[in-house]
């Protein structure tokens, strides 16, 4: 089955809803759904070249808004009730996004994700206190604000929150909260510079003086 040039290689279940704009491009893209009552919405002008979207569960949501561009990535929702939201004009070169355990991953508008990015809401395996048997590593949502640049090979672990306008240096591992308009680097990632703005070009982004400069 082909929808807007995206081959839907497998759909097992009922009442799944796909709202895919006819302008979506998806050479080599694959969508696989196993479950019921899932909803995938892909807006105008989105490019999903060689991207895989896989849902294994029910009542999941995938929303990719207009003019976003994904390439060579894998988006995997593996449990019922998981959600993924991507804002307007965000780009992602390659990597894996894994949403598990009824959690949510949100990417804001105009984000720039480089190659080899890993974002996940769960460790996928439980760690327990020996005495209380309590799970000590529960899954948590991940939130990335508007106009965030994530460098090559970076990792965003469960519970991460990155505020607008910030930059995550290549190969960094983020495990907490990163404030707005700063550069964070290292393992674990720590803020190394504050009060910055960035641009997709080498020209100073005048629009960020209003939209992105910290108060």
């Amino acid at each position: 089955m082909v929808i807007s040039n995206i081959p839907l290689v497998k759909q097992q279940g009922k009442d799944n809803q796909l709202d895919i704009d006819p302008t979506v491009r998806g050479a080599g893209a694959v969508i696989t759904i196993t479950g019921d009552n899932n909803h995938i919405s892909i807006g105008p002008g989105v490019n999903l070249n060689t991207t895989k979207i896989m849902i294994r569960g029910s009542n999941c949501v995938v929303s990719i808004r207009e003019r976003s561009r994904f390439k060579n990535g894998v988006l995997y929702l593996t449990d019922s009730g998981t959600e993924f939201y991507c804002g307007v004009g965000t780009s992602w070169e390659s990597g894996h996004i894994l949403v598990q355990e009824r959690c949510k991953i949100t990417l804001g508008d105009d984000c720039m994700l480089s190659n080899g990015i890993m974002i996940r809401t769960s460790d996928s395996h439980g760690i327990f206190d020996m005495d209380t048997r309590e799970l000590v590593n529960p899954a948590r949502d991940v939130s990335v604000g508007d106009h965030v640049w994530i460098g090559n090979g970076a990792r965003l672990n469960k519970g991460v929150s990155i505020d607008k306008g910030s930059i995550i240096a290549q190969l960094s591992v983020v495990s907490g909260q990163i404030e707005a308009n700063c550069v964070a680097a290292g393992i674990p990632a720590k803020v190394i510079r504050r009060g910055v703005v960035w641009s997709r070009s080498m020209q100073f982004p005048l629009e960020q003086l209003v939209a992105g400069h910290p108060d």
Side-chain angles (χ1 to χ4, degrees):
M1 181 178 182
V2 176
I3 299 177
S4 300
N5 298 318
I6 298 176
L8 182 64
V9 298
K10 186 176 183 181
Q11 182 177 193
Q12 296 182 347
K14 61 183 180 180
D15 299 324
N16 293 306
Q17 181 179 352
L18 282 77
D19 296 322
I20 300 178
D21 190 89
T23 63
V24 170
R25 292 181 293 167
V30 175
I31 296 175
T32 304
I33 301 174
T34 305
D36 305 327
N37 301 306
N38 297 293
H39 184 201
I40 296 178
S41 174
I42 304 177
V46 168
N47 191 329
L48 297 176
N49 285 350
T50 60
T51 296
K52 295 180 180 179
I53 299 175
M54 296 181 286
I55 294 177
R56 183 179 295 172
S58 298
N59 304 304
C60 299
V61 176
V62 172
S63 174
I64 302 172
R65 296 186 61 193
E66 56 267 29
R67 301 190 310 279
S68 287
R69 296 176 286 113
F70 290 8
K71 182 170 61 177
N72 298 320
V74 177
L75 171 59
Y76 198 8
L77 289 74
T78 65
D79 295 307
S80 294
T82 50
E83 302 174 6
F84 172 79
Y85 299 95
C86 176
V88 176
T90 284
S91 61
W92 176 33
E93 293 301 317
S94 69
H96 287 74
I97 295 178
L98 179 62
V99 196
Q100 293 180 292
E101 299 186 57
R102 296 187 177 273
C103 285
K104 173 173 63 177
I105 290 177
T106 303
L107 304 178
D109 297 341
D110 190 35
C111 292
M112 185 170 69
L113 283 65
S114 186
N115 289 287
I117 305 299
M118 170 70 79
I119 307 176
R120 58 190 306 154
T121 63
S122 170
D123 297 329
S124 299
H125 306 283
I127 302 174
F128 300 88
D129 183 280
M130 290 179 62
D131 296 325
T132 66
R133 301 187 181 183
E134 179 184 3
L135 179 70
V136 298
N137 64 329
R140 297 173 62 193
D141 295 343
V142 174
S143 176
V144 177
D146 294 342
H147 194 64
V148 169
W149 174 8
I150 302 177
N152 176 65
R155 300 290 187 263
L156 275 57
N157 291 329
K158 63 183 188 294
V160 161
S161 176
I162 303 173
D163 209 342
K164 64 180 181 180
S166 284
I167 303 161
I168 306 301
Q170 65 177 347
L171 301 177
S172 296
V173 177
V174 186
S175 297
Q177 184 172 356
I178 303 297
E179 61 200 78
N181 297 100
C182 69
V183 179
I187 304 174
K190 297 182 183 298
V191 173
I192 60 173
R193 183 159 184 166
R194 291 178 170 84
V196 299
V197 293
W198 66 270
S199 171
R200 290 177 182 263
S201 73
M202 296 303 293
Q203 302 299 314
F204 186 87
L206 292 174
E207 69 279 5
Q208 293 300 316
L209 285 178
V210 174
H213 197 281
D215 297 333

